[in-house]
Structure formats: C-alpha cells, structure tokens
Amino acid sequence: MRNEMTGDRYVNPYTDFGFKMLFGSEINKELLISFVNSLLGGREVIRDLKYLNTEHLGTSERDRRAVFDVYCENERGEKILVEMQRGEQQFFKDRSIYYSTFPIREQGLRGEWDYELKAVYVIGILNFKFTNEDTDNYHHEVKLVDLNTRKVFYDKLTFIYLEMPKFNKTETELESMFDKWMFVIRNLSRLMDRPVALQERVFTRLFESAEIAKFTREQYEEYEDSLKAYRDWQNTIHTAVMKSLQEGIAQGREEGREEGREEGREEGRKEERLKLARKFKASGIPVSIIAENTGLTEEEIADL
C-alpha cells in the first residue's frame, strides 16, 4: 500500500516510526551497524550491537528523565546513543551533553572501582542547521581538546553532529558509504525507486524494510499517526516562520517610512528580508519557501 497522505513509496526516516523501524529494531540491526561504521571512517569497525533500554532516570527521584531514540553498545562495551532531532532546539548542545552523562554514570561500579570507562558516542542527526557559520560543513566531530596543544585531551567521549539540510550531493556525486547514508536519510521519502548508486547489500535491506507497501495494517496505521504528528509539527513551524517573516517585512517597511526617503524604505525592507532569510535558512526552511515569502531570489538566499 502506498502512503495515502503523501503518495510516498518509502517511509520517512524523520518520523518517530520511520527512524526507529530502520535503526532501532533488532531485525534491522545491520542498518545501524553500517551507518555507525560509515561515521567512524574506518578508525574502528563495529561488528555487532546490542540494543539497550532507551529510557533512563537520574540517580534520584528528583533527577530528570532522558528518553533516547536509539541506545546500544558494541562488542567492546562502548555506548552509542543516536538521536534524530527534527527541529531546532534552543539548548540542543546542552541537551547532548546532558544525555551523554547517562551512559557515563551507568558504568560506575559498586565497591572497588578504578574509574576506567568505556567510550561513549553521541550521534545527532539534525534536520536543521545548528551553527551560524557560513560554511558548507555538515559533519561535525567533537571531542575534549587541550586548547594549548590543540591535541585531543580525552578520546573516549565523542559527539557527532550531522546537519542534514547542508548535504546537497546528487546521486552521481556519492563516493563513500558515509555519502550514501547521508543521501538516503536525506532523500528516502522522496525516492520512487532505488538509486543505482546504492547497490550495496545493506541498502537492499533498507529499501525492502522502508517500502510502505510491505507494511502490515498495524504498521501502516502506526506510521500514518507518526507521519501526521511530524507534518503537524512542520506546519506549526512553517506557520510561525511565515508570521515572523510578515512581521519582519512590515517592521522593515515602517523603519523605511521613518527615514522618509524611498531608498530608506527599500533599504529597510531589503535588510529585514535578508536578516529573516538568513535566520530561517539556518533553521532548515526550504529555500523555495523563503524566496516565496520574502521576495528574495533563491540565488540571493543561497549566497547568505
């Protein structure tokens, strides 16, 4: 059955259902292993993963709860936490640090213990741009570094962030497994056929699992609910964006009037459009929507 809400052939991995079905289920464990290995770039190879409880409580009743999207450990006991972040969050970096404390603290042993820890990886797949830097870099790997020596101070705590809106490679530009995984996560729900470039066996498994026509009735209904929640969230964000854009344009027009000159009015409007376009581009709003509502060209927005 094809998705009645969108006509899509494949599941949307940005939905809770889609992400957890592809990466958080035992039956599709090889997908997660391949994806994580592509991020590590050959520095180490994960051969097996064991899924762990995704809900964690603090050390006391007053501590906050943390619910992870996917939480697992490899054959060496290293902890891997994977989060799909669908929208911009004010304190996202703080949240990442906070989440990393759970797999660290749970390694503590009662009685005699020398404090040796297994490595912890926090992987964030971001459906927005979380930096204000004018750069095309979409793959961030963060470790504790000594600022004087510029060398890694502690190599057992790694944060990996993937800014998906910045990844714009076409199928013909895909070279590494990392490129292919980025492409398929970014574009899966828009594809109608399996791309020729994705011929590895692991992608055979992915496209078989992601095909909506193969869902059971129960899976289909669960996905429909998850997709509706995702689209409601998108509409809420877009409505807020459009309102802010219109208010910003009106403000720019008023500022231009106060200057009393035609060039002042136009300059005020243009500057406000540019400021708002820059802000919403960083939030991952499609360029076409920003252009439609600001009067800027897509080229002007791309240059921001």
Side-chain angles (χ1 to χ4, degrees), residues 244-245 248-249 272-281:
S244 183
L245 281 170
I249 292 171
E272 189 61 31
R273 289 189 183 109
L274 289 170
K275 184 172 72 173
L276 288 167
R278 190 176 295 110
K279 174 182 177 182
F280 294 121
K281 182 183 176 185

Side-chain angles (χ1 to χ4, degrees), residues 271-301:
E271 183 58 34
E272 189 61 31
R273 289 189 183 109
L274 289 170
K275 184 172 72 173
L276 288 167
R278 190 176 295 110
K279 174 182 177 182
F280 294 121
K281 182 183 176 185
S283 299
I285 303 301
V287 170
S288 59
I289 293 178
I290 299 174
E292 180 181 346
N293 287 274
T294 62
L296 298 173
T297 66
E298 294 193 6
E299 290 74 17
E300 287 175 314
I301 297 170

Side-chain angles (χ1 to χ4, degrees), residues 49-274:
L49 289 173
K50 178 175 69 174
Y51 287 100
L52 304 175
N53 182 17
T54 58
E55 184 170 341
H56 290 257
L57 300 174
T59 54
S60 72
E61 291 185 12
R62 292 174 297 179
D63 287 347
R64 287 188 176 273
R65 183 180 65 144
V67 180
F68 309 144
D69 285 339
V70 173
Y71 183 42
C72 54
E73 69 177 17
N74 63 17
E75 66 274 13
R76 294 180 292 275
E78 298 171 338
K79 312 296 182 181
I80 302 169
L81 192 163
V82 186
E83 282 284 296
M84 168 65 80
Q85 188 66 31
R86 296 154 189 83
E88 188 171 8
Q89 189 177 70
Q90 184 177 8
F91 299 109
F92 174 73
K93 293 179 184 178
D94 302 68
R95 172 178 167 173
S96 294
I97 301 299
Y98 176 69
Y99 273 20
S100 72
T101 65
F102 287 87
I104 292 173
R105 286 189 295 172
E106 71 179 15
Q107 295 185 54
L109 300 177
R110 294 182 180 275
E112 293 294 328
W113 178 47
D114 59 7
Y115 291 94
E116 181 181 11
L117 296 170
K118 299 291 187 180
V120 171
Y121 296 89
V122 179
I123 300 169
I125 304 172
L126 315 181
N127 193 23
F128 62 94
K129 300 177 184 179
F130 83 128
T131 65
N132 294 320
E133 301 171 2
D134 186 16
T135 173
D136 293 329
N137 181 31
Y138 46 79
H139 181 195
H140 305 270
E141 184 167 319
V142 181
K143 292 180 182 286
L144 292 174
V145 172
D146 186 316
L147 294 179
N148 291 321
T149 65
R150 302 294 179 181
K151 294 182 179 179
V152 174
F153 170 75
Y154 186 73
D155 64 357
K156 292 184 181 180
L157 180 60
T158 305
F159 298 88
I160 298 174
Y161 301 112
L162 307 174
E163 294 181 271
M164 302 306 298
K166 287 185 178 180
F167 183 84
N168 295 308
K169 287 188 177 182
T170 63
E171 181 184 347
T172 58
E173 295 174 313
L174 305 180
E175 298 177 354
S176 64
M177 279 296 287
F178 173 67
D179 284 347
K180 294 177 181 181
W181 271 112
M182 291 289 287
F183 180 86
V184 79
I185 292 173
R186 176 83 195 272
N187 298 291
L188 181 60
S189 64
R190 295 194 288 265
L191 298 175
M192 295 309 296
D193 294 293
R194 177 179 175 179
V196 175
L198 305 180
Q199 291 304 309
E200 289 80 359
R201 186 183 64 83
V202 70
F203 294 118
T204 299
R205 177 66 187 176
L206 181 139
F207 281 97
E208 288 177 352
S209 299
E211 191 165 359
I212 297 170
K214 295 181 179 179
F215 287 1
T216 66
R217 171 56 62 179
E218 182 179 354
Q219 287 176 320
Y220 182 73
E221 291 176 352
E222 188 176 350
Y223 176 54
E224 288 285 289
D225 289 342
S226 184
L227 184 60
K228 182 178 184 302
Y230 173 72
R231 290 189 169 274
D232 286 347
W233 171 83
Q234 276 194 320
N235 288 335
T236 299
I237 296 298
H238 285 173
T239 298
V241 167
M242 296 305 105
K243 181 178 179 181
S244 183
L245 281 170
Q246 295 303 322
E247 289 175 350
I249 292 171
Q251 180 181 348
R253 188 178 297 118
E254 183 61 30
E255 290 174 354
R257 289 197 190 98
E258 291 176 0
E259 292 187 23
R261 293 182 292 129
E262 180 59 33
E263 58 265 32
R265 289 196 296 272
E266 182 57 33
E267 184 179 344
R269 289 195 294 267
K270 184 65 175 288
E271 183 58 34
E272 189 61 31
R273 289 189 183 109
L274 289 170

